[in-house]
Amino acid sequence: MKKTVVALAIMGFGLSAAQAQEMVVKLGSVAPLTGTISHLGKDNENGAKLAVEDANAKGITIGGKKVKFELMGEDDQADPRTGTTVAQRLVDASVKGVIGHLNSGTTIPASRIYNQAGVPMISPSATNPTLTRQGYKGVFRTIANDVQQGGVLGKFIAGPLAAKTVAIIDDRTSYGQGLADETEKAVKAAGGKIVAREFTNDKATDFNAILTKIRGAKPDVIFFGGMDAQAGPMLRQLKQLGVDTKFVTGDGGCSPEMIKLAGEAIGENAYCSMAGLPLEKMPGGTEFRNRYKARFNMDVQIYSPYAYDAAMAMIKAMQAANSVEPAKYLPELKKSNFQGVTGTVAFDDIGDIKDGAVTMYQFKGGSWAAM
């Protein structure tokens, strides 16, 4: 009770008896809110924010007290070092759980901080398999991992696209390189040949040198493992070089921003994968899209539905345990099984989402169309 009074004291004076029984519960949200993929980071934060607002509107009671959830947003700048710094900041602020991070490269090192502090975390977007294979009990994700996604990509490239030769580029991040590695394995397993393997970084804007090399290899398909901030300009430069090869990328490039950045260079020979179902096919997707637009005056980018479900999973686990303390609600979080916006939210033994779906998209009529 003493902790509750202290937490409320900073909110002002003249508290009513009802307010005095209110318990403030802090949840963290971490994503890149500045930089080239800040639009994706804000999308994640907005998804978690909408869940917190919905929970507060319900007047949830836990342990005999009305709970007010507060979301503490942090910017990790898609940088691993900054990621661990803000993770420690959230731990020091006594958050009861974290929704994040966005990138695998920041999420994996940050997960060690949360694990040491006993703070559960759920990433709505980090897909590198390593995240949930570290043996940490409180690490989860609400999206399919790169083994699942890379397998689908490789089979799609060698199957429907009938590619015999493939060039692969990655951005050398945990996400980009990891997805590229899994895609390469699947292409080879399906009988395809890798004729070039190049890399760039997640800050680059000039890809002419590696694209010129790849042009000489004349691949049937070019695959890029990375984010939309690089994928869009890469398509532009391919067009400038006169390369009209099929271009495939993963969920990091499967966004409206990718289309905007590519401009006239994008056409029906561009494809991307998305972990999960198309928004319109998600059980709560259409309603979520409309509510999101009305609340934030912007369209869903990629991961906000998964961030919403991640926050709701945490809140529902606290309700089931009748406690906001991580050690008490973590067992309930592991047992999660509910219908979320994205589908059934349930985790396997290591914290991966069960039965994670992957959908392929093609650019058609100005947008990404599910195949």
Side-chain angles (χ1 to χ4, degrees):
M1 182 63 188
K2 192 176 287 184
K3 276 190 177 180
T4 305
V5 173
V6 172
L8 290 168
I10 65 170
M11 298 175 67
F13 301 101
L15 298 175
S16 68
Q19 286 174 310
Q21 290 302 309
E22 186 176 77
M23 175 170 54
V24 175
V25 177
K26 297 176 184 176
L27 297 177
S29 170
V30 193
L33 303 178
T34 55
T36 57
I37 57 171
S38 59
H39 56 289
L40 299 180
K42 196 64 185 174
D43 188 53
N44 274 24
E45 184 180 73
N46 286 345
K49 186 179 292 184
L50 197 58
V52 164
E53 290 174 355
D54 284 352
N56 285 337
K58 292 175 182 175
I60 292 171
T61 299
I62 297 175
K65 295 175 184 174
K66 185 180 177 183
V67 174
K68 179 184 179 183
F69 293 100
E70 287 186 355
L71 194 69
M72 291 185 62
E74 290 285 353
D75 178 13
D76 66 12
Q77 302 170 29
D79 175 69
R81 185 173 295 180
T82 305
T84 56
T85 299
V86 299
Q88 189 60 55
R89 188 180 300 152
L90 289 175
V91 168
D92 293 343
S94 300
V95 297
K96 301 302 184 184
V98 174
I99 313 305
H101 299 204
L102 188 152
N103 311 73
S104 296
T106 53
T107 309
I108 292 168
S111 68
R112 297 173 195 134
I113 305 291
Y114 302 129
N115 178 64
Q116 289 167 3
V119 176
M121 58 151 286
I122 309 176
S123 175
S125 48
T127 53
N128 189 292
T130 300
L131 176 63
T132 51
R133 295 178 180 179
Q134 301 174 98
Y136 299 158
K137 295 179 180 179
V139 174
F140 305 84
R141 69 174 127 224
T142 51
I143 198 165
N145 66 34
D146 288 338
V147 174
Q148 296 163 306
Q149 190 173 184
V152 170
L153 280 161
K155 289 175 184 175
F156 174 76
I157 290 168
L161 295 189
K164 302 297 183 187
T165 57
V166 181
I168 294 179
I169 309 168
D170 72 73
D171 66 0
R172 275 305 187 258
T173 64
S174 295
Y175 161 69
Q177 185 174 356
L179 184 58
D181 288 346
E182 294 298 333
T183 302
E184 179 175 349
K185 289 178 192 174
V187 166
K188 288 178 176 177
K193 182 182 179 183
I194 308 301
V195 294
R197 179 76 194 248
E198 300 290 338
F199 65 89
T200 180
N201 64 68
D202 61 347
K203 305 293 187 295
T205 55
D206 183 358
F207 311 102
N208 277 292
I210 59 175
L211 296 180
T212 300
K213 276 190 201 177
I214 286 172
R215 180 176 62 179
K218 298 181 179 178
D220 296 327
V221 165
I222 295 172
F223 174 78
F224 173 60
M227 305 303 286
D228 54 12
Q230 281 67 50
M234 191 176 288
L235 263 179
R236 281 182 178 271
Q237 289 166 40
L238 279 167
K239 185 174 183 180
Q240 289 164 6
L241 289 169
V243 179
D244 195 32
T245 305
K246 294 182 180 71
F247 184 88
V248 181
T249 190
D251 57 308
C254 212
S255 69
E257 186 70 9
M258 155 73 165
I259 296 168
K260 178 182 172 184
L261 291 170
E264 294 180 359
I266 194 168
E268 291 190 7
N269 64 344
Y271 305 84
C272 65
S273 63
M274 174 64 70
L277 296 170
L279 189 61
E280 62 273 14
K281 291 186 179 179
M282 291 177 184
T286 300
E287 181 187 1
F288 181 85
R289 179 181 58 202
N290 296 338
R291 292 181 59 226
Y292 185 98
K293 179 78 171 182
R295 172 65 179 85
F296 302 110
N297 195 31
M298 61 184 290
D299 293 325
V300 170
Q301 289 293 311
I302 302 180
Y303 305 115
S304 51
Y306 300 95
Y308 182 95
D309 280 354
M312 278 302 182
M314 211 162 264
I315 291 167
K316 286 178 180 292
M318 291 178 182
Q319 289 180 276
N322 200 31
S323 174
V324 300
E325 296 306 318
K328 293 184 178 179
Y329 83 75
L330 180 57
E332 296 298 331
L333 186 56
K334 287 178 178 291
K335 293 188 288 185
S336 294
N337 193 334
F338 67 94
Q339 187 79 342
V341 170
T342 61
T344 300
V345 178
F347 304 107
D348 65 17
D349 292 343
I350 62 171
D352 278 328
I353 192 76
K354 286 184 178 178
D355 304 319
V358 178
T359 304
M360 292 304 306
Y361 293 78
Q362 181 180 14
F363 179 77
K364 275 188 177 180
S367 63
W368 292 115
M371 298 179 72

